[in-house]
Amino acid sequence: MWQYGEYLRHFITHFNLYVPDLLFFGGSFTSRPERTESFQALCLMKLMETHGVNRLSLVGISYGGFVGYSLAAQFPEVIEKLVLCCAGVCLEEIDMKNGLFKVSSLEEASSILLPQTPDKLRELMRLSFVRPARVVPSWFLEDFIH
């Protein structure tokens, strides 16, 4: 909520807002093995149904955009409006080959965007910040990844 609170206040007088934590963000989790945006979309749809919401406008940012896109593809009759921000849902291998990203494959991009080692997290920080921190201890990065 700290990321969106300033913006949400402009909408609460006009809309019923739901700002769920996607699975594994915030305090949300599952013991089920599914980890796809399709599964996340299904869970989000069940949440909306539980709250009696059968028609919605959805804003998805970054990974939430992938989940929103999947929800719209699975349940088009439910979506009134869809806004996707910073989500490369139409990214294809040909885009990578044509130089959209300076990585050789989607797998390499995933290894950077979902770092599993301190070195990969440092690489993500170098690509994400204008002035990245120069010295960050590996133990801190390992804790952050965990």
Side-chain angles (χ1 to χ4, degrees):
M1 292 301 293
W2 62 269
Q3 292 175 309
Y4 308 111
E6 179 182 335
Y7 306 103
L8 296 177
R9 66 184 174 89
H10 299 286
F11 297 99
I12 58 176
T13 57
H14 305 287
F15 301 96
N16 294 323
L17 295 182
Y18 296 86
V19 185
D21 281 334
L22 294 176
L23 291 169
F24 308 108
F25 290 79
S28 299
F29 67 93
T30 182
S31 59
R32 292 180 55 173
E34 296 92 340
R35 298 292 187 264
T36 64
E37 60 271 8
S38 177
F39 176 68
Q40 295 262 14
L42 181 63
C43 292
L44 186 57
M45 191 62 228
K46 287 182 180 182
L47 174 69
M48 293 294 96
E49 289 171 350
T50 300
H51 285 283
V53 177
N54 54 18
R55 200 85 173 113
L56 59 100
S57 294
L58 188 146
V59 176
I61 301 170
S62 189
Y63 180 68
F66 284 89
V67 174
Y69 183 85
S70 182
L71 193 142
Q74 292 180 64
F75 307 99
E77 68 285 355
V78 172
I79 300 297
E80 186 174 314
K81 296 176 184 168
L82 177 65
V83 178
L84 304 178
C85 304
C86 306
V89 295
C90 296
L91 182 67
E92 297 179 2
E93 283 289 339
I94 190 71
D95 298 320
M96 305 291 278
K97 290 177 184 166
N98 289 339
L100 181 61
F101 293 125
K102 294 181 180 180
V103 293
S104 60
S105 67
L106 287 174
E107 290 77 25
E108 183 183 351
S110 294
S111 77
I112 295 169
L113 295 173
L114 299 170
Q116 299 300 307
T117 67
D119 286 339
K120 282 295 183 183
L121 184 49
R122 284 186 185 95
E123 183 177 357
L124 177 61
M125 291 168 58
R126 280 192 305 274
L127 294 169
S128 303
F129 293 94
V130 173
R131 293 184 189 111
R134 292 181 187 206
V135 179
V136 181
S138 291
W139 62 264
F140 179 82
L141 297 175
E142 287 172 3
D143 283 354
F144 186 83
I145 291 167
H146 179 69

